[in-house]
Amino acid sequence: MQKPIQTIELQDVSKYYNKKRVGLRDCTIQMESGTINAFIGKNGSGKTTTLKLILGLIYPTYGKVCIDETYSSLLQYQQVGYLPEKVHLPTNVVLSDLLMYIGLSRGLSAKTCKAEIKTLADYYELDLSKKLKASESSKGMAQKAAIIQAFLHRPNCCILDEPTSGLDPIAKKQLFDHIKKVSQHSMVIISGHHLDELQGLIDNFYVFDKNRCLGKQKLSQETDNYIIYTNSALSEQAEERLFRTFPMLQKADTNGYQIDVEMQEINLVLAFFVKQGIAIAKIEKSVDSLESLYLKMVNGETK
């Protein structure tokens, strides 16, 4: 039995498809088990190329891909789940039969395979009882089947390339909840460019732009802003007067107000709330959104 994968590292990796077509330049990345890592960037920025290099589907022109400090690729490991960016299922095969074949080929017993398929199909609300073929399935159904095959054998490393394609909001939430659960004992790598979807999911993210990885960031990046939360909302008139008096304030949510000032200057704002009879629930530092951190890195405002 293979040891669980603990680390994946790319050391100054570049991929040139030919003299004119560059897939990736000078990429250095290190990821650890128990984390959810996102590759974010525009289409064509190098995300999928990097995932394929990690998997061993393509090979680097320069540099090394190391699994647990050994020069290798994930193709050598059975405990890897992979969802490609574009799902192409065999059109004339029944979905349930396809999943059974995949599970058996990964070393599951027939009994275990059937049980896992049923559990995952029920969770993702994919009805396999109709014995539909891929050609008879909707895009959403095909995507769910592809997601199930990635998780079917309970891998300890999951690579998901644009996994929400074709999924409705409910299925997306099911997927994200599942990813959080899986990440407790596995490494998850997910690529995407819908930053709002990834905001509450990931631990670390790597920004790709113009075929380069610009670096790693964590989402818990505190800003110089503070958010003042109140126990109740201000009246429309009081809120209008608040923003006129303190133009640096921004609405953070229903009962939250974000202010870009030093802590001592907040006392003036607090005095305003007290005068209005509004109780303060808490004051905390705000955290950069994934979108703002991404834009800062792309624009060279942070490393």
mmCIF file of all heavy atoms in Angstrom, residues 1-2 5 55 74-75 77-83 99-109 112-117 119-120 145-160 178 182 185-187:
data_model
loop_
_atom_site.group_PDB
_atom_site.id
_atom_site.type_symbol
_atom_site.label_atom_id
_atom_site.label_comp_id
_atom_site.label_asym_id
_atom_site.label_seq_id
_atom_site.Cartn_x
_atom_site.Cartn_y
_atom_site.Cartn_z
ATOM 1 N N MET A 1 0.847 -1.201 0.000
ATOM 2 C CA MET A 1 0.000 0.000 0.000
ATOM 3 C C MET A 1 0.882 1.249 0.000
ATOM 4 O O MET A 1 1.832 1.342 0.761
ATOM 5 C CB MET A 1 -0.919 -0.003 1.218
ATOM 6 C CG MET A 1 -1.919 1.136 1.250
ATOM 7 S SD MET A 1 -3.062 0.976 2.633
ATOM 8 C CE MET A 1 -4.054 2.437 2.398
ATOM 9 N N GLN A 2 0.544 2.184 -0.853
ATOM 10 C CA GLN A 2 1.356 3.395 -0.961
ATOM 11 C C GLN A 2 1.124 4.325 0.228
ATOM 12 O O GLN A 2 0.035 4.404 0.784
ATOM 13 C CB GLN A 2 1.015 4.130 -2.253
ATOM 14 C CG GLN A 2 1.458 3.396 -3.509
ATOM 15 C CD GLN A 2 1.055 4.168 -4.752
ATOM 16 O OE1 GLN A 2 0.090 4.896 -4.740
ATOM 17 N NE2 GLN A 2 1.795 3.994 -5.818
ATOM 18 N N ILE A 5 0.290 10.892 0.236
ATOM 19 C CA ILE A 5 1.116 11.992 -0.265
ATOM 20 C C ILE A 5 1.078 13.140 0.735
ATOM 21 O O ILE A 5 0.007 13.585 1.160
ATOM 22 C CB ILE A 5 0.594 12.455 -1.642
ATOM 23 C CG1 ILE A 5 0.735 11.329 -2.662
ATOM 24 C CG2 ILE A 5 1.336 13.697 -2.120
ATOM 25 C CD1 ILE A 5 -0.033 11.559 -3.930
ATOM 26 N N LEU A 55 0.445 16.102 -12.476
ATOM 27 C CA LEU A 55 -0.097 14.766 -12.708
ATOM 28 C C LEU A 55 0.851 13.881 -13.520
ATOM 29 O O LEU A 55 0.777 12.658 -13.443
ATOM 30 C CB LEU A 55 -1.438 14.874 -13.443
ATOM 31 C CG LEU A 55 -2.633 15.312 -12.588
ATOM 32 C CD1 LEU A 55 -3.758 15.816 -13.464
ATOM 33 C CD2 LEU A 55 -3.098 14.161 -11.710
ATOM 34 N N LEU A 74 2.384 12.303 -10.265
ATOM 35 C CA LEU A 74 1.276 11.641 -9.593
ATOM 36 C C LEU A 74 0.755 10.434 -10.353
ATOM 37 O O LEU A 74 -0.043 9.666 -9.820
ATOM 38 C CB LEU A 74 0.136 12.645 -9.364
ATOM 39 C CG LEU A 74 0.393 13.708 -8.294
ATOM 40 C CD1 LEU A 74 -0.806 14.630 -8.171
ATOM 41 C CD2 LEU A 74 0.685 13.066 -6.944
ATOM 42 N N LEU A 75 1.181 10.241 -11.600
ATOM 43 C CA LEU A 75 0.748 9.060 -12.345
ATOM 44 C C LEU A 75 1.198 7.775 -11.654
ATOM 45 O O LEU A 75 0.619 6.711 -11.867
ATOM 46 C CB LEU A 75 1.313 9.092 -13.782
ATOM 47 C CG LEU A 75 0.613 10.027 -14.763
ATOM 48 C CD1 LEU A 75 1.264 9.899 -16.132
ATOM 49 C CD2 LEU A 75 -0.868 9.688 -14.884
ATOM 50 N N TYR A 77 0.955 7.179 -8.552
ATOM 51 C CA TYR A 77 0.217 6.984 -7.313
ATOM 52 C C TYR A 77 -1.236 6.612 -7.605
ATOM 53 O O TYR A 77 -1.899 7.240 -8.430
ATOM 54 C CB TYR A 77 0.264 8.248 -6.462
ATOM 55 C CG TYR A 77 1.650 8.591 -5.966
ATOM 56 C CD1 TYR A 77 2.572 9.244 -6.779
ATOM 57 C CD2 TYR A 77 2.052 8.236 -4.682
ATOM 58 C CE1 TYR A 77 3.848 9.542 -6.329
ATOM 59 C CE2 TYR A 77 3.317 8.531 -4.216
ATOM 60 C CZ TYR A 77 4.211 9.180 -5.046
ATOM 61 O OH TYR A 77 5.462 9.474 -4.593
ATOM 62 N N GLN A 78 -1.738 5.599 -6.893
ATOM 63 C CA GLN A 78 -3.123 5.177 -7.065
ATOM 64 C C GLN A 78 -4.089 6.099 -6.332
ATOM 65 O O GLN A 78 -5.224 6.270 -6.759
ATOM 66 C CB GLN A 78 -3.303 3.744 -6.563
ATOM 67 C CG GLN A 78 -2.574 2.687 -7.384
ATOM 68 C CD GLN A 78 -2.784 1.297 -6.825
ATOM 69 O OE1 GLN A 78 -3.218 1.130 -5.696
ATOM 70 N NE2 GLN A 78 -2.473 0.293 -7.624
ATOM 71 N N GLN A 79 -3.627 6.672 -5.222
ATOM 72 C CA GLN A 79 -4.528 7.453 -4.382
ATOM 73 C C GLN A 79 -4.618 8.906 -4.834
ATOM 74 O O GLN A 79 -4.421 9.841 -4.056
ATOM 75 C CB GLN A 79 -4.072 7.361 -2.928
ATOM 76 C CG GLN A 79 -4.259 5.986 -2.325
ATOM 77 C CD GLN A 79 -5.717 5.522 -2.379
ATOM 78 O OE1 GLN A 79 -6.616 6.251 -1.960
ATOM 79 N NE2 GLN A 79 -5.950 4.350 -2.920
ATOM 80 N N VAL A 80 -4.912 9.101 -6.104
ATOM 81 C CA VAL A 80 -5.074 10.441 -6.676
ATOM 82 C C VAL A 80 -6.415 10.507 -7.392
ATOM 83 O O VAL A 80 -6.765 9.595 -8.157
ATOM 84 C CB VAL A 80 -3.936 10.774 -7.664
ATOM 85 C CG1 VAL A 80 -4.204 12.112 -8.349
ATOM 86 C CG2 VAL A 80 -2.609 10.812 -6.939
ATOM 87 N N GLY A 81 -7.169 11.554 -7.134
ATOM 88 C CA GLY A 81 -8.415 11.791 -7.844
ATOM 89 C C GLY A 81 -8.251 12.994 -8.753
ATOM 90 O O GLY A 81 -7.734 14.028 -8.320
ATOM 91 N N TYR A 82 -8.704 12.866 -9.993
ATOM 92 C CA TYR A 82 -8.508 13.948 -10.960
ATOM 93 C C TYR A 82 -9.793 14.231 -11.717
ATOM 94 O O TYR A 82 -10.424 13.323 -12.269
ATOM 95 C CB TYR A 82 -7.402 13.569 -11.944
ATOM 96 C CG TYR A 82 -7.200 14.552 -13.085
ATOM 97 C CD1 TYR A 82 -7.063 15.923 -12.849
ATOM 98 C CD2 TYR A 82 -7.146 14.109 -14.407
ATOM 99 C CE1 TYR A 82 -6.885 16.817 -13.885
ATOM 100 C CE2 TYR A 82 -6.956 15.001 -15.452
ATOM 101 C CZ TYR A 82 -6.830 16.352 -15.185
ATOM 102 O OH TYR A 82 -6.648 17.237 -16.232
ATOM 103 N N LEU A 83 -10.173 15.495 -11.730
ATOM 104 C CA LEU A 83 -11.293 15.966 -12.544
ATOM 105 C C LEU A 83 -10.747 16.933 -13.573
ATOM 106 O O LEU A 83 -10.284 18.015 -13.226
ATOM 107 C CB LEU A 83 -12.330 16.671 -11.668
ATOM 108 C CG LEU A 83 -13.498 17.327 -12.410
ATOM 109 C CD1 LEU A 83 -14.383 16.275 -13.052
ATOM 110 C CD2 LEU A 83 -14.308 18.207 -11.470
ATOM 111 N N LEU A 99 -18.853 4.233 -13.858
ATOM 112 C CA LEU A 99 -18.331 4.470 -12.511
ATOM 113 C C LEU A 99 -17.874 3.165 -11.862
ATOM 114 O O LEU A 99 -16.855 3.123 -11.163
ATOM 115 C CB LEU A 99 -19.394 5.152 -11.647
ATOM 116 C CG LEU A 99 -19.737 6.592 -12.034
ATOM 117 C CD1 LEU A 99 -20.934 7.104 -11.233
ATOM 118 C CD2 LEU A 99 -18.544 7.508 -11.824
ATOM 119 N N MET A 100 -18.609 2.079 -12.125
ATOM 120 C CA MET A 100 -18.228 0.775 -11.586
ATOM 121 C C MET A 100 -16.886 0.334 -12.160
ATOM 122 O O MET A 100 -16.001 -0.142 -11.429
ATOM 123 C CB MET A 100 -19.313 -0.248 -11.921
ATOM 124 C CG MET A 100 -19.157 -1.577 -11.208
ATOM 125 S SD MET A 100 -19.491 -1.411 -9.439
ATOM 126 C CE MET A 100 -19.113 -3.085 -8.901
ATOM 127 N N TYR A 101 -16.725 0.516 -13.445
ATOM 128 C CA TYR A 101 -15.469 0.135 -14.099
ATOM 129 C C TYR A 101 -14.291 0.939 -13.536
ATOM 130 O O TYR A 101 -13.227 0.386 -13.231
ATOM 131 C CB TYR A 101 -15.581 0.361 -15.604
ATOM 132 C CG TYR A 101 -14.277 0.192 -16.343
ATOM 133 C CD1 TYR A 101 -13.786 -1.075 -16.645
ATOM 134 C CD2 TYR A 101 -13.521 1.298 -16.718
ATOM 135 C CE1 TYR A 101 -12.572 -1.233 -17.309
ATOM 136 C CE2 TYR A 101 -12.312 1.155 -17.369
ATOM 137 C CZ TYR A 101 -11.840 -0.114 -17.677
ATOM 138 O OH TYR A 101 -10.640 -0.256 -18.312
ATOM 139 N N ILE A 102 -14.508 2.240 -13.358
ATOM 140 C CA ILE A 102 -13.442 3.097 -12.837
ATOM 141 C C ILE A 102 -13.070 2.682 -11.417
ATOM 142 O O ILE A 102 -11.894 2.585 -11.059
ATOM 143 C CB ILE A 102 -13.871 4.579 -12.879
ATOM 144 C CG1 ILE A 102 -13.979 5.052 -14.328
ATOM 145 C CG2 ILE A 102 -12.886 5.455 -12.107
ATOM 146 C CD1 ILE A 102 -14.573 6.438 -14.484
ATOM 147 N N GLY A 103 -14.072 2.424 -10.588
ATOM 148 C CA GLY A 103 -13.806 2.023 -9.213
ATOM 149 C C GLY A 103 -13.045 0.712 -9.126
ATOM 150 O O GLY A 103 -12.089 0.579 -8.344
ATOM 151 N N LEU A 104 -13.449 -0.271 -9.932
ATOM 152 C CA LEU A 104 -12.765 -1.564 -9.936
ATOM 153 C C LEU A 104 -11.329 -1.427 -10.426
ATOM 154 O O LEU A 104 -10.412 -2.073 -9.900
ATOM 155 C CB LEU A 104 -13.534 -2.562 -10.811
ATOM 156 C CG LEU A 104 -14.917 -2.978 -10.305
ATOM 157 C CD1 LEU A 104 -15.620 -3.850 -11.343
ATOM 158 C CD2 LEU A 104 -14.807 -3.729 -8.974
ATOM 159 N N SER A 105 -11.130 -0.571 -11.432
ATOM 160 C CA SER A 105 -9.782 -0.387 -11.977
ATOM 161 C C SER A 105 -8.847 0.287 -10.970
ATOM 162 O O SER A 105 -7.629 0.204 -11.093
ATOM 163 C CB SER A 105 -9.834 0.438 -13.267
ATOM 164 O OG SER A 105 -10.194 1.781 -12.995
ATOM 165 N N ARG A 106 -9.425 0.942 -9.972
ATOM 166 C CA ARG A 106 -8.621 1.600 -8.950
ATOM 167 C C ARG A 106 -8.435 0.733 -7.703
ATOM 168 O O ARG A 106 -7.981 1.207 -6.675
ATOM 169 C CB ARG A 106 -9.246 2.946 -8.577
ATOM 170 C CG ARG A 106 -9.125 3.965 -9.699
ATOM 171 C CD ARG A 106 -9.855 5.237 -9.398
ATOM 172 N NE ARG A 106 -9.728 6.199 -10.472
ATOM 173 C CZ ARG A 106 -10.468 7.285 -10.617
ATOM 174 N NH1 ARG A 106 -11.421 7.543 -9.725
ATOM 175 N NH2 ARG A 106 -10.287 8.107 -11.618
ATOM 176 N N GLY A 107 -8.832 -0.511 -7.814
ATOM 177 C CA GLY A 107 -8.554 -1.448 -6.728
ATOM 178 C C GLY A 107 -9.670 -1.658 -5.736
ATOM 179 O O GLY A 107 -9.485 -2.373 -4.743
ATOM 180 N N LEU A 108 -10.844 -1.056 -5.938
ATOM 181 C CA LEU A 108 -11.956 -1.280 -5.028
ATOM 182 C C LEU A 108 -12.589 -2.640 -5.303
ATOM 183 O O LEU A 108 -12.643 -3.094 -6.449
ATOM 184 C CB LEU A 108 -13.018 -0.188 -5.194
ATOM 185 C CG LEU A 108 -12.613 1.255 -4.890
ATOM 186 C CD1 LEU A 108 -13.801 2.175 -5.094
ATOM 187 C CD2 LEU A 108 -12.079 1.389 -3.475
ATOM 188 N N SER A 109 -13.086 -3.291 -4.268
ATOM 189 C CA SER A 109 -13.849 -4.518 -4.471
ATOM 190 C C SER A 109 -15.212 -4.149 -5.044
ATOM 191 O O SER A 109 -15.657 -2.996 -4.929
ATOM 192 C CB SER A 109 -14.025 -5.253 -3.143
ATOM 193 O OG SER A 109 -14.856 -4.500 -2.265
ATOM 194 N N THR A 112 -17.523 -2.807 -2.262
ATOM 195 C CA THR A 112 -17.154 -1.456 -1.823
ATOM 196 C C THR A 112 -17.469 -0.432 -2.900
ATOM 197 O O THR A 112 -17.963 0.668 -2.616
ATOM 198 C CB THR A 112 -15.662 -1.395 -1.473
ATOM 199 O OG1 THR A 112 -15.388 -2.320 -0.422
ATOM 200 C CG2 THR A 112 -15.253 0.005 -1.025
ATOM 201 N N CYS A 113 -17.188 -0.779 -4.129
ATOM 202 C CA CYS A 113 -17.416 0.129 -5.244
ATOM 203 C C CYS A 113 -18.892 0.493 -5.370
ATOM 204 O O CYS A 113 -19.247 1.666 -5.514
ATOM 205 C CB CYS A 113 -16.911 -0.519 -6.534
ATOM 206 S SG CYS A 113 -16.853 0.614 -7.929
ATOM 207 N N LYS A 114 -19.758 -0.510 -5.307
ATOM 208 C CA LYS A 114 -21.199 -0.257 -5.390
ATOM 209 C C LYS A 114 -21.665 0.650 -4.256
ATOM 210 O O LYS A 114 -22.469 1.568 -4.458
ATOM 211 C CB LYS A 114 -21.961 -1.587 -5.335
ATOM 212 C CG LYS A 114 -21.882 -2.416 -6.607
ATOM 213 C CD LYS A 114 -22.683 -3.705 -6.458
ATOM 214 C CE LYS A 114 -22.585 -4.550 -7.717
ATOM 215 N NZ LYS A 114 -23.323 -5.834 -7.584
ATOM 216 N N ALA A 115 -21.141 0.385 -3.055
ATOM 217 C CA ALA A 115 -21.538 1.182 -1.895
ATOM 218 C C ALA A 115 -21.085 2.632 -2.034
ATOM 219 O O ALA A 115 -21.843 3.568 -1.731
ATOM 220 C CB ALA A 115 -20.962 0.563 -0.619
ATOM 221 N N GLU A 116 -19.842 2.840 -2.498
ATOM 222 C CA GLU A 116 -19.318 4.198 -2.666
ATOM 223 C C GLU A 116 -20.078 4.953 -3.749
ATOM 224 O O GLU A 116 -20.378 6.147 -3.605
ATOM 225 C CB GLU A 116 -17.819 4.150 -2.991
ATOM 226 C CG GLU A 116 -16.940 3.722 -1.838
ATOM 227 C CD GLU A 116 -16.940 4.722 -0.694
ATOM 228 O OE1 GLU A 116 -17.074 5.931 -0.945
ATOM 229 O OE2 GLU A 116 -16.824 4.283 0.465
ATOM 230 N N ILE A 117 -20.378 4.270 -4.843
ATOM 231 C CA ILE A 117 -21.138 4.907 -5.936
ATOM 232 C C ILE A 117 -22.497 5.355 -5.431
ATOM 233 O O ILE A 117 -22.950 6.475 -5.697
ATOM 234 C CB ILE A 117 -21.279 3.954 -7.131
ATOM 235 C CG1 ILE A 117 -19.920 3.738 -7.809
ATOM 236 C CG2 ILE A 117 -22.285 4.506 -8.146
ATOM 237 C CD1 ILE A 117 -19.929 2.666 -8.877
ATOM 238 N N THR A 119 -23.442 5.968 -2.322
ATOM 239 C CA THR A 119 -23.298 7.052 -1.337
ATOM 240 C C THR A 119 -23.074 8.394 -2.030
ATOM 241 O O THR A 119 -23.720 9.401 -1.694
ATOM 242 C CB THR A 119 -22.124 6.758 -0.388
ATOM 243 O OG1 THR A 119 -22.395 5.549 0.337
ATOM 244 C CG2 THR A 119 -21.923 7.905 0.598
ATOM 245 N N LEU A 120 -22.162 8.422 -2.996
ATOM 246 C CA LEU A 120 -21.834 9.674 -3.675
ATOM 247 C C LEU A 120 -22.964 10.118 -4.603
ATOM 248 O O LEU A 120 -23.258 11.309 -4.703
ATOM 249 C CB LEU A 120 -20.530 9.518 -4.454
ATOM 250 C CG LEU A 120 -19.272 9.417 -3.583
ATOM 251 C CD1 LEU A 120 -18.067 8.994 -4.412
ATOM 252 C CD2 LEU A 120 -18.986 10.739 -2.881
ATOM 253 N N ALA A 145 -21.149 13.045 -12.505
ATOM 254 C CA ALA A 145 -20.540 11.724 -12.665
ATOM 255 C C ALA A 145 -19.022 11.828 -12.658
ATOM 256 O O ALA A 145 -18.321 10.993 -12.069
ATOM 257 C CB ALA A 145 -21.031 11.074 -13.960
ATOM 258 N N ALA A 146 -18.498 12.875 -13.302
ATOM 259 C CA ALA A 146 -17.050 13.075 -13.344
ATOM 260 C C ALA A 146 -16.510 13.421 -11.954
ATOM 261 O O ALA A 146 -15.406 12.989 -11.578
ATOM 262 C CB ALA A 146 -16.708 14.189 -14.336
ATOM 263 N N ILE A 147 -17.268 14.186 -11.182
ATOM 264 C CA ILE A 147 -16.866 14.506 -9.808
ATOM 265 C C ILE A 147 -16.851 13.240 -8.953
ATOM 266 O O ILE A 147 -15.923 12.997 -8.174
ATOM 267 C CB ILE A 147 -17.812 15.561 -9.204
ATOM 268 C CG1 ILE A 147 -17.585 16.919 -9.875
ATOM 269 C CG2 ILE A 147 -17.618 15.678 -7.696
ATOM 270 C CD1 ILE A 147 -18.635 17.959 -9.538
ATOM 271 N N ILE A 148 -17.881 12.412 -9.117
ATOM 272 C CA ILE A 148 -17.963 11.169 -8.338
ATOM 273 C C ILE A 148 -16.769 10.268 -8.623
ATOM 274 O O ILE A 148 -16.174 9.691 -7.710
ATOM 275 C CB ILE A 148 -19.290 10.441 -8.639
ATOM 276 C CG1 ILE A 148 -20.456 11.214 -8.009
ATOM 277 C CG2 ILE A 148 -19.261 9.002 -8.116
ATOM 278 C CD1 ILE A 148 -21.827 10.697 -8.393
ATOM 279 N N GLN A 149 -16.370 10.153 -9.902
ATOM 280 C CA GLN A 149 -15.233 9.286 -10.211
ATOM 281 C C GLN A 149 -13.939 9.808 -9.588
ATOM 282 O O GLN A 149 -13.051 9.026 -9.252
ATOM 283 C CB GLN A 149 -15.074 9.105 -11.724
ATOM 284 C CG GLN A 149 -14.663 10.336 -12.522
ATOM 285 C CD GLN A 149 -13.187 10.677 -12.451
ATOM 286 O OE1 GLN A 149 -12.342 9.800 -12.290
ATOM 287 N NE2 GLN A 149 -12.884 11.965 -12.560
ATOM 288 N N ALA A 150 -13.842 11.134 -9.403
ATOM 289 C CA ALA A 150 -12.635 11.701 -8.792
ATOM 290 C C ALA A 150 -12.541 11.361 -7.306
ATOM 291 O O ALA A 150 -11.447 11.190 -6.766
ATOM 292 C CB ALA A 150 -12.616 13.214 -8.982
ATOM 293 N N PHE A 151 -13.688 11.234 -6.635
ATOM 294 C CA PHE A 151 -13.708 10.968 -5.196
ATOM 295 C C PHE A 151 -13.985 9.499 -4.861
ATOM 296 O O PHE A 151 -13.906 9.108 -3.692
ATOM 297 C CB PHE A 151 -14.782 11.824 -4.511
ATOM 298 C CG PHE A 151 -14.481 13.288 -4.481
ATOM 299 C CD1 PHE A 151 -15.309 14.194 -5.135
ATOM 300 C CD2 PHE A 151 -13.382 13.773 -3.796
ATOM 301 C CE1 PHE A 151 -15.049 15.552 -5.100
ATOM 302 C CE2 PHE A 151 -13.111 15.137 -3.750
ATOM 303 C CZ PHE A 151 -13.948 16.027 -4.409
ATOM 304 N N LEU A 152 -14.297 8.703 -5.853
ATOM 305 C CA LEU A 152 -14.822 7.354 -5.659
ATOM 306 C C LEU A 152 -13.934 6.471 -4.783
ATOM 307 O O LEU A 152 -14.416 5.734 -3.920
ATOM 308 C CB LEU A 152 -15.030 6.697 -7.027
ATOM 309 C CG LEU A 152 -15.664 5.315 -7.079
ATOM 310 C CD1 LEU A 152 -17.023 5.321 -6.384
ATOM 311 C CD2 LEU A 152 -15.821 4.877 -8.531
ATOM 312 N N HIS A 153 -12.632 6.528 -4.988
ATOM 313 C CA HIS A 153 -11.705 5.640 -4.287
ATOM 314 C C HIS A 153 -11.080 6.306 -3.057
ATOM 315 O O HIS A 153 -10.065 5.843 -2.542
ATOM 316 C CB HIS A 153 -10.606 5.176 -5.248
ATOM 317 C CG HIS A 153 -9.890 6.301 -5.928
ATOM 318 N ND1 HIS A 153 -10.533 7.304 -6.611
ATOM 319 C CD2 HIS A 153 -8.564 6.593 -6.021
ATOM 320 C CE1 HIS A 153 -9.639 8.159 -7.104
ATOM 321 N NE2 HIS A 153 -8.449 7.746 -6.741
ATOM 322 N N ARG A 154 -11.690 7.392 -2.584
ATOM 323 C CA ARG A 154 -11.237 8.123 -1.398
ATOM 324 C C ARG A 154 -9.751 8.478 -1.498
ATOM 325 O O ARG A 154 -8.941 8.071 -0.661
ATOM 326 C CB ARG A 154 -11.520 7.316 -0.133
ATOM 327 C CG ARG A 154 -12.996 7.063 0.085
ATOM 328 C CD ARG A 154 -13.282 6.515 1.460
ATOM 329 N NE ARG A 154 -14.709 6.324 1.653
ATOM 330 C CZ ARG A 154 -15.273 5.949 2.811
ATOM 331 N NH1 ARG A 154 -14.509 5.740 3.871
ATOM 332 N NH2 ARG A 154 -16.574 5.794 2.904
ATOM 333 N N PRO A 155 -9.395 9.269 -2.494
ATOM 334 C CA PRO A 155 -7.983 9.611 -2.708
ATOM 335 C C PRO A 155 -7.445 10.528 -1.621
ATOM 336 O O PRO A 155 -8.207 11.245 -0.965
ATOM 337 C CB PRO A 155 -8.006 10.330 -4.060
ATOM 338 C CG PRO A 155 -9.378 10.921 -4.137
ATOM 339 C CD PRO A 155 -10.285 9.925 -3.477
ATOM 340 N N ASN A 156 -6.121 10.515 -1.426
ATOM 341 C CA ASN A 156 -5.528 11.440 -0.465
ATOM 342 C C ASN A 156 -4.914 12.657 -1.158
ATOM 343 O O ASN A 156 -4.285 13.490 -0.526
ATOM 344 C CB ASN A 156 -4.497 10.747 0.434
ATOM 345 C CG ASN A 156 -3.358 10.139 -0.332
ATOM 346 O OD1 ASN A 156 -2.617 10.833 -1.014
ATOM 347 N ND2 ASN A 156 -3.204 8.821 -0.238
ATOM 348 N N CYS A 157 -5.119 12.745 -2.470
ATOM 349 C CA CYS A 157 -4.767 13.950 -3.226
ATOM 350 C C CYS A 157 -5.800 14.130 -4.326
ATOM 351 O O CYS A 157 -5.985 13.235 -5.154
ATOM 352 C CB CYS A 157 -3.368 13.833 -3.819
ATOM 353 S SG CYS A 157 -2.887 15.295 -4.785
ATOM 354 N N CYS A 158 -6.498 15.258 -4.315
ATOM 355 C CA CYS A 158 -7.566 15.517 -5.297
ATOM 356 C C CYS A 158 -7.204 16.747 -6.114
ATOM 357 O O CYS A 158 -6.921 17.811 -5.552
ATOM 358 C CB CYS A 158 -8.894 15.749 -4.594
ATOM 359 S SG CYS A 158 -9.432 14.387 -3.548
ATOM 360 N N ILE A 159 -7.238 16.591 -7.425
ATOM 361 C CA ILE A 159 -6.956 17.702 -8.331
ATOM 362 C C ILE A 159 -8.202 17.965 -9.161
ATOM 363 O O ILE A 159 -8.655 17.101 -9.926
ATOM 364 C CB ILE A 159 -5.750 17.392 -9.235
ATOM 365 C CG1 ILE A 159 -4.496 17.245 -8.368
ATOM 366 C CG2 ILE A 159 -5.557 18.474 -10.276
ATOM 367 C CD1 ILE A 159 -3.231 16.995 -9.141
ATOM 368 N N LEU A 160 -8.772 19.148 -8.994
ATOM 369 C CA LEU A 160 -10.054 19.488 -9.601
ATOM 370 C C LEU A 160 -9.883 20.738 -10.456
ATOM 371 O O LEU A 160 -9.659 21.829 -9.945
ATOM 372 C CB LEU A 160 -11.096 19.729 -8.504
ATOM 373 C CG LEU A 160 -11.173 18.660 -7.384
ATOM 374 C CD1 LEU A 160 -12.094 19.124 -6.275
ATOM 375 C CD2 LEU A 160 -11.631 17.327 -7.955
ATOM 376 N N HIS A 178 -18.221 18.950 0.405
ATOM 377 C CA HIS A 178 -17.499 17.682 0.257
ATOM 378 C C HIS A 178 -15.990 17.916 0.235
ATOM 379 O O HIS A 178 -15.221 17.191 0.879
ATOM 380 C CB HIS A 178 -17.952 16.985 -1.029
ATOM 381 C CG HIS A 178 -17.514 15.564 -1.124
ATOM 382 N ND1 HIS A 178 -17.676 14.808 -2.256
ATOM 383 C CD2 HIS A 178 -16.884 14.746 -0.232
ATOM 384 C CE1 HIS A 178 -17.194 13.598 -2.051
ATOM 385 N NE2 HIS A 178 -16.702 13.533 -0.834
ATOM 386 N N VAL A 182 -13.176 16.308 2.681
ATOM 387 C CA VAL A 182 -12.072 15.519 2.135
ATOM 388 C C VAL A 182 -10.724 16.105 2.541
ATOM 389 O O VAL A 182 -9.758 15.380 2.818
ATOM 390 C CB VAL A 182 -12.182 15.443 0.597
ATOM 391 C CG1 VAL A 182 -10.902 14.916 -0.028
ATOM 392 C CG2 VAL A 182 -13.362 14.561 0.193
ATOM 393 N N HIS A 185 -8.166 15.070 5.510
ATOM 394 C CA HIS A 185 -7.164 13.993 5.449
ATOM 395 C C HIS A 185 -6.452 13.949 4.093
ATOM 396 O O HIS A 185 -5.715 13.011 3.823
ATOM 397 C CB HIS A 185 -7.825 12.638 5.729
ATOM 398 C CG HIS A 185 -8.974 12.316 4.803
ATOM 399 N ND1 HIS A 185 -8.785 11.850 3.521
ATOM 400 C CD2 HIS A 185 -10.307 12.434 4.980
ATOM 401 C CE1 HIS A 185 -9.963 11.679 2.952
ATOM 402 N NE2 HIS A 185 -10.905 12.024 3.804
ATOM 403 N N SER A 186 -6.669 14.949 3.260
ATOM 404 C CA SER A 186 -6.107 14.927 1.910
ATOM 405 C C SER A 186 -5.602 16.303 1.505
ATOM 406 O O SER A 186 -5.931 17.313 2.137
ATOM 407 C CB SER A 186 -7.170 14.479 0.893
ATOM 408 O OG SER A 186 -7.714 13.231 1.225
ATOM 409 N N MET A 187 -4.838 16.328 0.435
ATOM 410 C CA MET A 187 -4.464 17.576 -0.215
ATOM 411 C C MET A 187 -5.437 17.809 -1.372
ATOM 412 O O MET A 187 -5.709 16.897 -2.146
ATOM 413 C CB MET A 187 -3.033 17.492 -0.769
ATOM 414 C CG MET A 187 -2.549 18.768 -1.456
ATOM 415 S SD MET A 187 -0.982 18.511 -2.347
ATOM 416 C CE MET A 187 0.053 17.819 -1.068
#
